[in-house]
Amino acid sequence: MFGWTGKLLHVDLTRGTCERREIPSEILHAYLGGRGLGVRLMRDYFRLGPFEPDMPLIFAVGPLCGTNSPTAARLACVSRSPLTGTIYDCSAGGRFAWRLKAAGLDALFITGKSPHPVVLCIDPVRDELHPAQSLWGKGVKETVAALKERGSVTAIGPAGENGVLFANIMMGEGNSIGRGGLGAVMGAKGLKAVTAQGDGVTGIADRERFDAARADVMRLFLASPVIFGELGIAEYGTPALVDLMAQRRMAPTENFRSTFFAGSGNYSGPAIRKECGARKEGCYGCPIQCKKASAAGEPLPEYETVNHFGALNGISDLHAIVRANTMCNELGLDTISAAATLSAFGEARGRFPDAAEVASLLADIAYRHDQGELLSLGSRRVGEVLGKPELSMSVKSLELPAYDPRGAYGMALAYVTSNRGGCHLRAYPISHEILRKPVPTDRFSFSGKARIIKIAEDVNAAVDSLVACKFAFFGATLEEYGELLSAVTGVEYGPESLKAIGERIYLTERFYNCGNGFDRSHDTLPRRFFEEAGSAGEGIDVPPIDRARFDEELQKYYRIRGLDEDGGFGDRDLLGELP
Amino acid sequence: MRDQISKYTGKLLADRSACADGIAFAAQDDALITAGAPDLAALAGGTLSRLNSLALVAARPSLPFADFLIARAGEGEECIVPQDTETRTFLHDIPFLRKKDLAGDPAPVLARLLGNRKGVIVEGIGIVAVGAITVEQAFINYSSVFHSTFVKYLQDLLADGFRLPGEREAFEAFRRQWLRPLFAEGLDFAGALSLDKNGILAEIERVGRYTVERGLVDSFFGNISVSAGELIYISQTAASLDELKGCIDPVPADNSSTTGITASSELLAHRKIYEQTGARVILHGHPKFSVVMSMLCDRKRECAIKDCWKECPHVRDLGGTPVVAGEIGAGGLAKRVPPVIGASGSAIVYGHGVFTLGRQGFGEAFAAMVDVENFCREEYFRQLDITKA
């Protein structure tokens, strides 16, 4: 078999066992890897609660991982989110995915609950669990340092150990498995970290075809101003978007009360480069290198992080924002949800936290001290406890990132149809509504958006299963990645067959969610977006979203998806139809 | 979506890339709609309904070049591979279906081909192109296929001469009737541009329209900029040159802001050209004869370099205009054009297009592009006539 290893490591933490098993090739061909494979492996478990011992925590790489396919040394982590209750996946880079594949695995399937903290150590010779009491309570950096001899490390911090509902799993290089609280799932299993090392090589079925496809991808990267342009993400990282979002009047500010923050220039891409000496960093083998680090090697914050610790909380102090980012990385907290929860809390109490208070509140959250006990539950639960549920700017309990939906109607629709809640990365319409890739669309129009969002969700489900980085698709398309995949695996794939796989994955996720009680009532935005205007300026008006038009487009989306008016499957046994 | 279909039908007519009675679109939101020539509309709808995409255009090109390319292809061949930058970067190859292989409803096999590519050619029917997320994208892909097949046919003709019955006559009709004189006279330009923002934006919009209206470029292919003190005003990536209103980015010369992340991928080339020449404006487009002639090289047989478009270190010459290699965007184009463009005020990039300068305004740049394309057109026919003789 080329591309895949065909092997899964099943770890039962209750019994303390590790066993390598075969993955049927028809499952790999039908779901690729990453998100798709993880979602398929959840089929018998999706009704379990996130913290039940039998709930799997799955790490899955893709068939391109281990080759020099651009941006493909990634994995997806899949489980059920304690924050949202939905099926949940997150794509992450770094080095761990490459090491896991080199150890001979397509996936890691972890169930059970260890009676004492453990570390899972994987290499081609043996897979073992080791006691980790000495690491329990340690921060991410110290944990990674203690385990670095065993290969690449992924670990949780105190937030995951303490069950914070938006705790991350952190990669040793600073990347994160973020947003949905899978760090808390890992913590509930008593698993402090996983290490992986190996020397396996991913076989390529047709090297000449692969080289040609890779050259095509690289040519498109060079032709993309967003990727390799002199103002693009390879130069400035995702904070390159700060100035653009300010100019477009869609930078969420003070818990989305407005959409422009006068101080945003303090944490723009050029400002970070100047103030922090930002240099290029990135995931293993990635030509883009969009991550930025300080001169001292400290990971610098992404766009969503600078906006949410910045404008969303009314803070313009770049160094305070960088400190908040560093704290979150160390404690194992999701930066978007942490900052958005603080913002909702701030609006509820009538005062947003200042820079100094942010740091103490983050620590309180991770250790669930004082106010942190409540804040550790995320903004929806905070709002409900404080009697102001409308102040949680979330969808399905997942806090919205830094793209105001009043400024991009495709984004508004995409937030509510996302299977993991308020996330920008599922349909990712910012690509065409703001960044003009592959072609521009009118951001203040719903026309055609239902179909566009559906197609993009399918495309990105495939991308998350390859597993490639979404940023690659600011230049390349599934045409080129289909060629890479065909060349690597020897199995023919193209854009349409990949979109069909993506659709299968998307519908499976939705089916799981519906099985757990989600329906149309959960597919909506906070009412602020329908009732309050954003900040006008530079000739741009940002009116409230027309709710009737929004609902009309949502119904169109359901019809295009083959769902009923309530967004459900009726009597359809979807899983019975699928491989 | 019907307004979009109407708009892009009009564009296909205006740029004369499709026959007036041979254009159809299909688009699907929650329902499938079709419009245009009935047979083609049925084909478009039948094909699109099998695809996870939003729009599709099926149109009969106004020139028979795509059909000729199929007829000239070897028996076992299933696609053509033009060498221009447009194809190499965005299309890769262009699959085709022969008339003899069209039994029954061609929609399923067309859908299968379009499942892997942005556009295909169906012999005797036309070019069918898909738009994954917009009607405009289908139009752009049609234009790309039309452009690439035009360029490849002219290249092949120069290399191999006429080989098909009726080919010579059809080509003569193209030469005498389809092609129109290309000239800059009769257009209004602002003369010396000031630093006034509104004036600059209006001038860029107007010049963009001119390039399309005069047939220098097909809509969409190219970019335009003005240097104004600490700013460069430049058309955005994926912007149609005849619709630049609201699609021009002001980019600070010192990169103190990144709002220009949406600017054309050629921003770096424009910036370096300004730095090295002191010009006020740059016009860039993809006139077809310039693209064809840029790929002719009498040293190809003995030269060790095979990836000429990016590796060739030589500066060739076409009527006083330097020709250089270089990939688009952040590729070598941004390094190779700036050093050579200052002396002549124009430069051609291998397989790609033409850059021209204006020291004060667009009048000079526009006229230069017309001159370059006219020279290449005349030179093409001169060489073809020699070949035929």
Side-chain angles (χ1 to χ4, degrees):
Chain A
M1 187 162 23
F2 291 100
W4 297 282
T5 67
K7 293 283 195 302
L8 168 154
L9 177 64
H10 188 180
V11 179
D12 184 334
L13 291 167
T14 305
R15 295 179 181 170
T17 59
C18 300
E19 181 187 353
R20 292 198 176 206
R21 298 176 180 171
E22 301 284 332
I23 308 174
S25 58
E26 57 267 30
I27 295 293
L28 293 171
H29 291 178
Y31 291 91
L32 301 179
R35 175 177 165 188
L37 179 59
V39 167
R40 174 62 181 81
L41 295 173
M42 284 285 289
R43 183 177 288 191
D44 298 328
Y45 304 90
F46 68 88
R47 291 181 190 278
L48 296 173
F51 292 140
E52 287 186 53
D54 287 344
M55 169 57 66
L57 181 67
I58 301 165
F59 297 81
V61 301
L64 300 179
C65 184
T67 72
N68 65 341
S69 302
T71 81
R74 301 178 68 84
L75 58 72
C77 187
V78 181
S79 189
R80 192 171 170 200
S81 164
L83 181 69
T84 66
T86 65
I87 178 79
Y88 198 86
D89 75 282
C90 182
S91 172
R95 286 178 170 264
F96 184 80
W98 167 61
R99 295 278 197 179
L100 193 65
K101 185 77 171 281
L105 294 170
D106 288 328
L108 182 55
F109 188 89
I110 303 167
T111 60
K113 178 180 172 61
S114 175
H116 49 76
V118 289
V119 171
L120 170 63
C121 299
I122 298 167
D123 67 39
V125 178
R126 65 182 66 82
D127 310 305
E128 293 179 323
L129 293 165
H130 295 276
Q133 282 95 339
S134 62
L135 293 174
W136 203 253
K138 304 292 188 192
V140 169
K141 194 180 282 186
E142 189 175 349
T143 302
V144 170
L147 295 169
K148 68 179 180 184
E149 300 304 322
R150 291 184 177 275
S152 188
V153 182
T154 187
I156 57 170
E161 296 173 9
N162 294 320
V164 175
L165 296 188
F166 46 90
N168 284 357
I169 301 169
M170 300 300 297
M171 298 297 185
E173 299 82 18
N175 304 66
S176 58
I177 294 168
R179 307 302 331 268
L182 298 194
V185 175
M186 189 158 151
K189 293 185 177 306
L191 183 61
K192 177 67 179 176
V194 184
T195 67
Q197 62 182 348
D199 53 10
V201 175
T202 303
I204 294 176
D206 185 338
R207 170 61 70 174
E208 192 177 342
R209 186 178 179 184
F210 177 83
D211 288 344
R214 188 178 191 283
D216 287 340
V217 171
M218 291 306 299
R219 186 176 300 120
L220 286 160
F221 283 8
L222 288 171
S224 168
V226 184
I227 297 175
F228 278 140
E230 57 177 318
L231 304 172
I233 57 175
E235 289 295 323
Y236 292 101
T238 54
L241 297 175
V242 169
D243 291 328
L244 191 64
M245 291 301 151
Q247 194 279 329
R248 300 293 196 268
R249 292 303 196 267
M250 56 181 292
T253 302
E254 294 186 340
N255 203 33
F256 291 83
R257 291 197 304 207
S258 58
T259 58
F260 178 79
F261 183 56
S264 69
N266 287 5
Y267 51 76
S268 68
I272 293 175
R273 173 181 281 188
K274 186 177 172 192
E275 291 295 317
C276 305
R279 58 175 171 80
K280 289 189 177 184
E281 285 261 331
C283 302
Y284 176 71
C286 176
I288 303 174
Q289 299 287 291
C290 74
K291 307 288 182 197
K292 302 298 162 210
S294 70
E298 193 66 39
L300 291 167
E302 300 262 7
Y303 164 65
E304 287 76 13
T305 304
V306 291
N307 184 85
H308 273 17
F309 279 119
L312 203 70
N313 282 287
I315 294 170
S316 58
D317 179 344
L318 171 60
H319 295 288
I321 293 168
V322 171
R323 274 198 303 279
N325 180 64
T326 301
M327 279 192 75
C328 285
N329 287 347
E330 175 63 5
L331 295 167
L333 281 171
D334 182 73
T335 54
I336 300 174
S337 283
T341 300
L342 292 181
S343 183
F345 175 65
E347 184 173 1
R349 70 177 179 176
R351 177 175 61 81
F352 291 103
D354 61 26
E357 194 185 9
V358 164
S360 64
L361 286 171
L362 289 175
D364 284 350
I365 291 171
Y367 292 99
R368 297 178 67 164
H369 286 162
D370 301 329
Q371 297 176 104
E373 179 65 36
L374 173 62
L375 295 171
S376 71
L377 304 177
S379 69
R380 179 180 67 80
R381 293 168 176 88
V382 168
E384 287 172 353
V385 169
L386 298 179
K388 297 181 177 178
E390 73 278 6
L391 296 185
S392 170
M393 296 295 115
S394 62
V395 173
K396 299 183 182 74
S397 306
L398 190 67
E399 287 77 15
L400 297 181
Y403 309 89
D404 195 288
R406 288 165 292 198
Y409 293 176
M411 194 70 256
L413 195 60
Y415 279 144
V416 306
T417 61
S418 157
N419 284 326
R420 70 175 200 175
C423 164
H424 57 296
L425 290 169
R426 303 281 102 169
Y428 210 13
I430 292 305
S431 180
H432 49 87
E433 291 190 311
I434 301 298
L435 295 171
R436 306 176 63 82
K437 292 298 174 188
V439 289
T441 63
D442 181 353
R443 65 187 175 114
F444 288 115
S445 169
F446 277 114
S447 178
K449 293 290 170 66
R451 174 73 64 172
I452 293 173
I453 295 304
K454 185 268 182 192
I455 293 169
E457 285 172 343
D458 294 346
V459 167
N460 286 323
V463 170
D464 287 335
S465 306
L466 283 171
V467 184
C469 175
K470 300 231 174 38
F471 294 163
F473 293 80
F474 288 137
T477 70
L478 285 182
E479 270 188 66
E480 295 77 31
Y481 271 85
E483 272 294 293
L484 280 175
L485 183 61
S486 302
V488 169
T489 63
V491 182
E492 284 301 317
Y493 292 96
E496 206 64 23
S497 61
L498 287 169
K499 281 189 275 187
I501 290 171
E503 182 172 35
R504 178 183 302 145
I505 295 162
Y506 176 89
L507 286 175
T508 303
E509 293 169 347
R510 177 113 193 159
F511 190 84
Y512 291 170
N513 285 347
C514 290
N516 283 322
F518 286 89
D519 60 22
R520 186 178 63 174
S521 68
H522 300 89
D523 294 347
T524 193
L525 291 165
R527 74 175 189 226
R528 167 165 283 166
F529 300 117
F530 299 109
E531 296 175 354
E532 299 172 27
S535 312
E538 294 208 21
I540 301 168
D541 271 333
V542 188
I545 296 169
D546 181 331
R547 189 187 286 270
R549 187 68 188 87
F550 176 87
D551 289 341
E552 181 188 357
E553 204 64 16
L554 183 60
Q555 283 300 323
K556 268 191 191 177
Y557 172 88
Y558 289 159
R559 287 195 290 277
I560 293 166
R561 276 276 179 221
L563 303 171
D564 60 27
E565 286 184 5
D566 203 34
F569 291 80
D571 296 330
R572 184 181 175 192
D573 176 21
L574 178 82
L575 301 184
E577 303 168 11
L578 301 180
Chain B
M1 287 181 183
R2 290 196 183 275
D3 57 337
Q4 291 290 300
I5 288 173
S6 175
K7 172 179 173 180
Y8 289 104
T9 299
K11 282 205 170 197
L12 288 173
L13 291 172
D15 68 16
R16 299 188 301 126
S17 61
C19 296
D21 59 351
I23 301 172
F25 277 88
Q28 52 185 351
D29 196 352
D30 57 338
L32 178 73
I33 58 172
T34 60
D39 289 357
L40 288 171
L43 178 66
T47 305
L48 183 62
S49 63
R50 290 173 165 84
L51 293 170
N52 196 353
S53 291
L54 188 136
L56 184 139
V57 57
R60 194 167 68 249
S62 56
L63 296 167
F65 297 168
D67 273 356
F68 287 162
L69 287 172
I70 296 173
R72 292 163 69 105
E75 187 56 35
E77 294 178 35
E78 297 177 333
C79 64
I80 57 173
V81 189
Q83 295 300 309
D84 63 288
T85 299
E86 192 63 32
T87 307
R88 223 176 33 250
T89 305
F90 300 107
L91 299 175
H92 308 308
D93 57 38
I94 305 172
F96 60 75
L97 280 173
R98 287 189 167 89
K99 200 182 289 183
K100 66 182 175 63
D101 296 327
L102 290 175
D105 181 7
V109 65
L110 255 180
R112 181 177 59 75
L113 292 176
L114 285 168
N116 291 309
R117 285 291 182 261
K118 298 176 183 75
V120 304
I121 307 163
V122 189
E123 189 179 20
I125 293 180
I127 294 170
V128 183
V130 68
I133 63 168
T134 64
V135 177
E136 182 191 33
Q137 202 178 4
F139 163 76
I140 290 168
N141 288 334
Y142 177 94
S143 292
S144 297
V145 174
F146 182 81
H147 176 87
S148 295
T149 52
F150 187 117
V151 168
K152 177 164 173 59
Y153 179 68
L154 263 60
Q155 270 190 295
D156 289 2
L157 200 56
L158 205 51
D160 304 325
F162 299 110
R163 292 165 50 186
L164 304 168
E167 194 178 10
R168 181 187 300 269
E169 294 74 16
F171 188 78
E172 284 304 318
F174 153 73
R175 183 174 177 177
R176 309 292 173 206
Q177 295 164 25
W178 193 90
L179 279 179
R180 291 174 177 168
L182 195 57
F183 56 96
E185 289 73 24
L187 299 175
D188 291 325
F189 293 100
L193 283 171
S194 71
L195 299 181
D196 171 59
K197 177 182 178 181
N198 290 333
I200 288 170
L201 296 183
E203 185 69 353
I204 292 176
E205 290 167 31
R206 182 162 55 161
V207 172
R209 268 200 321 278
Y210 286 166
T211 62
V212 177
E213 287 169 3
R214 286 288 163 106
L216 262 180
V217 304
D218 299 334
S219 175
F220 180 72
F221 300 128
N223 43 68
I224 301 177
S225 74
V226 170
S227 173
E230 296 303 309
L231 292 174
I232 296 172
Y233 292 91
I234 184 166
S235 55
Q236 292 183 334
T237 183
S240 295
L241 289 190
D242 55 346
E243 290 186 85
L244 289 179
K245 189 174 177 57
C247 296
I248 299 161
D249 281 335
V251 181
D254 62 357
N255 281 350
S256 56
S257 163
T258 53
T259 52
I261 191 173
T262 53
S264 164
S265 61
E266 308 297 9
L267 170 63
L268 182 61
H270 284 237
R271 186 192 298 278
K272 288 184 178 297
I273 290 171
Y274 287 128
E275 288 171 359
Q276 296 191 28
T277 66
R280 277 301 311 277
V281 310
I282 297 170
L283 184 58
H284 169 52
H286 305 173
K288 292 184 178 67
F289 283 91
S290 301
V291 175
V292 173
M293 296 306 292
S294 73
M295 293 189 280
L296 282 182
C297 175
D298 54 12
R299 297 170 59 186
K300 271 190 180 169
R301 287 221 171 101
E302 69 265 25
C303 185
I305 296 168
K306 295 305 170 204
D307 293 346
C308 313
W309 61 87
K310 62 175 178 179
E311 301 294 350
C312 181
H314 305 295
V315 180
R316 293 175 293 129
D317 177 272
L318 276 169
T321 297
V323 183
V324 296
E327 295 276 32
I328 59 177
L333 180 160
K335 294 190 188 86
R336 288 202 168 109
V337 171
V340 303
I341 196 172
S344 61
S346 58
I348 306 176
V349 178
Y350 185 107
H352 178 58
V354 180
F355 287 81
T356 57
L357 306 180
R359 267 83 182 169
Q360 293 189 310
F362 281 107
E364 182 187 0
F366 196 92
M369 187 170 285
V370 167
D371 288 346
V372 170
E373 179 65 355
N374 273 332
F375 174 85
C376 289
R377 186 190 284 194
E378 288 164 18
E379 181 63 12
Y380 176 84
F381 287 118
R382 191 186 69 79
Q383 293 200 20
L384 185 71
D385 291 340
I386 292 171
T387 305
K388 283 191 297 183

